[in-house]
Amino acid sequence: MALNLHSKKLIFILGGLLLSCSSDDSDDSGSSNTIANYESASDVITSLTGDVKSSYDAAPETYTFTRDNASTVSYTGQTFRQVLIEDLKTYIETLEQGTYQGSSDDALASLNSYVSYSYDNSSVASGAINGSSSFSVTAKDTSETSIAIAEGTTYAVIQDPGSNLLGKFAGNDNEELPRDSFLGWTTLEFNGQDLSSLDIDSSGDGKVEPEDLLGAWLRIIADQAVDGQAFTVANGDQPAQSVTAAYLTESGLDLRQLVQKFIHGAVSFSQATDDYLSVTRGDEKGILADNSGPAKADVVYTAREHHWDEAFGYFGAARDFLSYTDDQTKNKLSIDTDNSGSIALLSEKNFGISVNAAKRDSGSTTGLDLSSTIMNSFVKGRHLIAEKPEGYETAVTALATMIRIDWEKVLAATVIHYINDTISEMDQYGSSEYLFTDHAKFWSEMKGFALGLQFSPEKILSDEQFTQLHTLFGDAPVLGSAGSDALATYKTSLLEARALLQSAYAFDASDVENW
């Protein structure tokens, strides 16, 4: 393995297990620390004995836990945010250049109604949502037949009053970023906007933060939806291609994909790994929270159980995820576990990164199984937290470490997948097979997921490696109109970026080629 953990260390010791957990200060110290971190955690699990091993082995196959005949599982807010992320992407896809009926500010308000969701949002902007609006997420059963959503049709039936995305962006909830500052996007001024002065969260600190980049992207979509015009893109000697979507730019950005993939990193990945599975946030957050009794008067779960559940909710898996084949998950099919004739968003649908994990497993030639590994760690860790055999904390800490690193590997493997797709599309330029829309899509998914790697508390990529990766990517794809030499040079850069990721995450060369 060539994994890397660098930083000023906070050493956390539980029951004899030594784990190095990142703080904010980076020293770019190389790869050995994360190797030791993951291998130490794995060794703890394989060396379990006594009551802890018995409890670990007795964990259920599904993420189902009860006490006094009542479920102790609760992550409604995380499922709600998964729905918002999917629905924002779906809404963006409806916007065409120059067709929105309203002002640019109205169009932006409609987009922000997903990011800053409010149950009682009173905006009259076309497309804006509130609690009474119908959500767009749908479900298909394993026969690929559309099936009803068990909760109903409106946002309020999922959660009342609901949760928002903006408050959970990296650097907002925990007030600091794992790498001190936001990295990976060097173009600070574009579309008439200066990222350093946007201050989307009204903090007044003058720093470029993740939500500022999101806000700039949404403003471009809004402006193009109101005032944009369809444009054409050259394809060598082939006919030019017409582009009408408001989320596509002439520079080759697919803002729909950048927005969605970036949120998966800046909210879901950040919240799960740097908050709810953390051992550096004191006893109010993460897995050091109280586990002696109900977290508050009206619930049956403990704070520690709830934090673990919330991390699981951000992973996005159905509670019987281990019953799914990779093909079922990657094709977004759902198992009607309770035979109710409907799919429950809170328990029977796969969202977000859980789907990407299955996709990378499906594309592996070496039997890689990140999806099952992560799910097993979640289920067994939650069972140990519920049962509390003496000394269980050591095993839970080890499982949290493994989840954090395996989740990051899913992101990195997905970046490699889209590097490959981008190169493939570049190679098609000038032929009837080339599609500008696919070129923009693949590059933007690559970039969006890669930006999320900076939110890892493990920092498998050093700051230097992370900066190098994004220098190789740039802030926009190189299009065919730049000429064959520019395409060849950029292809070399993408292959160098792929090699960097392969080495840092210790991926097998055959998987890297096949993803």
Side-chain angles (χ1 to χ4, degrees), residues 10 193 196 223 282 363 368 430 454:
L10 171 65
Q193 302 177 93
S196 62
D223 288 349
L368 186 70
Q454 70 187 290

Side-chain angles (χ1 to χ4, degrees), residues 151-332:
E151 286 82 357
T153 61
T154 66
Y155 290 101
V157 301
I158 304 173
Q159 187 184 41
D160 183 0
S163 304
N164 69 48
L165 295 168
L166 181 61
K168 296 299 181 179
F169 256 72
N172 285 348
D173 191 30
N174 286 326
E175 298 184 356
E176 72 275 339
L177 296 168
R179 298 176 189 265
D180 291 331
S181 60
F182 178 56
L183 305 174
W185 192 271
T186 59
T187 308
L188 297 184
E189 295 185 16
F190 59 98
N191 194 50
Q193 302 177 93
D194 181 353
L195 292 184
S196 62
S197 63
L198 283 184
D199 197 24
I200 297 296
D201 65 352
S202 302
S203 64
D205 56 17
K207 294 181 179 179
V208 176
E209 296 174 312
E211 67 270 15
D212 295 327
L213 181 57
L214 175 73
W217 288 338
L218 295 180
R219 170 57 79 178
I220 295 172
I221 297 171
D223 288 349
Q224 294 191 160
V226 174
D227 297 319
Q229 295 182 341
F231 58 90
T232 58
V233 178
N235 182 24
D237 294 333
Q238 298 289 319
Q241 298 177 9
S242 179
V243 178
T244 62
Y247 56 81
L248 289 167
T249 72
E250 293 187 63
S251 63
L253 301 184
D254 183 330
L255 298 167
R256 159 199 59 166
Q257 297 295 348
L258 279 167
V259 164
Q260 184 197 33
K261 276 50 180 185
F262 184 53
I263 295 176
H264 278 314
V267 176
S268 302
F269 179 55
S270 171
Q271 279 285 294
T273 62
D274 198 29
D275 193 325
Y276 295 121
L277 297 179
S278 173
V279 294
T280 65
R281 300 291 179 188
D283 58 6
E284 295 297 319
K285 289 189 175 184
I287 60 174
L288 300 187
D290 181 70
N291 197 34
S292 63
K296 50 187 178 180
D298 57 344
V299 301
V300 294
Y301 52 75
T302 70
R304 191 174 300 179
E305 288 174 326
H306 188 44
H307 293 176
W308 195 268
D309 290 346
E310 289 177 296
F312 177 71
Y314 278 123
F315 180 57
R319 295 187 191 179
D320 58 349
F321 190 55
L322 295 174
S323 299
Y324 284 75
T325 67
D326 286 337
D327 283 347
Q328 287 173 331
T329 303
K330 76 176 188 178
N331 290 320
K332 301 182 180 180

Side-chain angles (χ1 to χ4, degrees), residues 58-181:
E61 291 292 313
T62 63
Y63 201 91
T64 304
F65 304 95
T66 61
R67 184 176 298 116
D68 298 329
N69 297 317
S71 174
T72 60
V73 176
S74 177
Y75 52 86
T76 307
Q78 286 65 41
T79 298
F80 192 88
R81 292 187 182 96
Q82 297 280 11
V83 172
L84 288 176
I85 294 169
E86 284 205 16
D87 278 10
L88 174 58
K89 176 175 177 284
T90 299
Y91 175 62
I92 290 172
E93 289 172 343
T94 68
L95 299 176
E96 295 283 309
Q97 298 269 1
T99 62
Y100 182 84
Q101 298 300 304
S103 68
S104 182
D105 285 346
D106 288 339
L108 183 62
S110 71
L111 294 163
N112 278 329
S113 68
Y114 294 87
V115 178
S116 301
Y117 173 85
S118 172
Y119 172 85
D120 56 1
N121 178 26
S122 60
S123 172
V124 296
S126 176
I129 62 168
N130 57 29
S132 62
S133 302
S134 296
F135 55 79
S136 300
V137 167
T138 60
K140 289 185 177 181
D141 63 22
T142 53
S143 68
E144 302 189 25
T145 302
S146 294
I147 185 171
I149 299 297
E151 286 82 357
T153 61
T154 66
Y155 290 101
V157 301
I158 304 173
Q159 187 184 41
D160 183 0
S163 304
N164 69 48
L165 295 168
L166 181 61
K168 296 299 181 179
F169 256 72
N172 285 348
D173 191 30
N174 286 326
E175 298 184 356
E176 72 275 339
L177 296 168
R179 298 176 189 265
D180 291 331
S181 60

